[in-house]
Amino acid sequence: MDPERDCDEIYRLLSLYEFPWDFTRSLELALFRTYAVPSIGRLLDRTGEFDRRTQERYDDTVLVLYEILIPESPASRARALDRLNQIHWRYRISNDDYLYTLATFVVMPVRWIEEFGWRRLHPREIRALTAMWRKMGEGMRIEGMPETYEGFERLLDDYERERFAFDAGGRRVADSTMRLFGSWFPRPLSPAVTDATRLLMDPHLLDALDLPRPPELARRAVRLGLKARGLFLRLGPPRPDSRPVLPRPRTYPDGYALDDLGPDSYRRNPTHRDAPPACPVLH
């Protein structure tokens, strides 16, 4: 397949069949990187959503991205993209922060899979992933996007060197997110899982969030365990076409509609719904 022309299908195969668990974990960790940028972390904390409705905000993020990246049709993608943009429209978010957030979505899954995946990504797959996220960035009218994966990687690393810094709001959002991850496990394990999230964070990210660095031996053990998982999966059979890994949102056990997604304040206030639509339909 052509990495630009067929990027939708390549993304679908990679995220639902080849590396579904890896995509999810890498994008979860990408969230913490945005919290370490004070302008982003402070805004997320000010809304209060990540403190009061952490699970709902997590699920809504997953589902809106799913509706955009793996849509039923170009029209359904456009509706989801408009909703994403309208939710963000009321906040003053700089193009630079949008661009950095997009870079985390481009770069972090690739880095995770290169280190822990059951196989390495082909260069055409990396080009397809980059093309897919660029299409989303175009739909959000983000300016100055790099043309290549390498460009996004440089942008991410440079932005973190320049902008990562401690902010109490970003730390509160990080703590809420870590507690959410722990809540998915039985109560006796919850504190350990919450704390273990730090084992997969880069040292400069931990420093920016003012989180204590875990023992190096523990970090190495976790990484070895993830590499072993990749080797084990490599020996197993491929995932059958009948078993894609689809989102299973805890907030919506009986299913959801696009209109269900987004903060309550957005759904209540019609002026938010009447915000300017984002962009043309993406094909």
Side-chain angles (χ1 to χ4, degrees), residues 16 61-71 80 245-247 256:
L16 301 188
T61 300
V62 170
L63 293 172
V64 169
L65 291 177
Y66 176 78
E67 294 291 336
I68 294 170
L69 296 167
I70 309 177
V245 178
L246 304 175
Y256 69 94

Side-chain angles (χ1 to χ4, degrees), residues 158-174:
D158 291 346
Y159 206 80
E160 292 182 353
R161 277 193 295 269
E162 296 169 5
R163 305 290 183 94
F164 266 17
F166 176 75
D167 181 84
R171 171 61 187 270
R172 284 191 289 270
V173 177

Side-chain angles (χ1 to χ4, degrees), residues 8 68 71 73-75 77-78 81 132-140 279-283:
D8 289 69
I68 294 170
S73 68
R77 168 178 279 162
L81 190 53
M132 195 67 207
W133 286 109
R134 274 180 52 83
K135 286 173 67 172
M136 180 171 165
E138 289 168 1
M140 296 180 70
C279 64
V281 175
L282 296 179
H283 297 287

Side-chain angles (χ1 to χ4, degrees), residues 265-279:
S265 59
Y266 165 78
R267 296 197 298 271
R268 287 195 306 267
N269 192 329
T271 61
H272 296 163
R273 295 197 295 273
D274 294 338
C279 64

Side-chain angles (χ1 to χ4, degrees), residues 63-64 67 76 79-81 83 256-262 267:
L63 293 172
V64 169
E67 294 291 336
S76 66
R79 288 194 298 272
L81 190 53
R83 191 166 189 87
Y256 69 94
L258 186 62
D259 288 344
D260 297 329
L261 308 182
R267 296 197 298 271

Side-chain angles (χ1 to χ4, degrees), residues 45-88:
D45 177 63
R46 194 164 63 242
T47 68
E49 290 288 331
F50 275 79
D51 179 47
R52 299 190 300 268
R53 303 180 185 88
T54 316
Q55 181 68 62
E56 184 178 345
R57 292 288 67 76
Y58 175 90
D59 287 338
D60 285 2
T61 300
V62 170
L63 293 172
V64 169
L65 291 177
Y66 176 78
E67 294 291 336
I68 294 170
L69 296 167
I70 309 177
E72 292 183 358
S73 68
S76 66
R77 168 178 279 162
R79 288 194 298 272
L81 190 53
D82 278 345
R83 191 166 189 87
L84 176 67
N85 284 332
Q86 288 167 357
I87 290 170
H88 289 87

Side-chain angles (χ1 to χ4, degrees), residues 100-134:
Y100 169 70
T101 302
L102 184 67
T104 66
F105 294 158
V106 175
V107 174
M108 300 319 299
V110 175
R111 286 185 174 176
W112 176 284
I113 292 169
E114 292 294 279
E115 185 173 4
F116 303 126
W118 64 268
R119 65 169 175 85
R120 298 180 66 86
L121 291 169
H122 190 279
R124 288 192 177 190
E125 292 175 321
I126 296 175
R127 284 173 56 193
L129 293 177
T130 305
M132 195 67 207
W133 286 109
R134 274 180 52 83

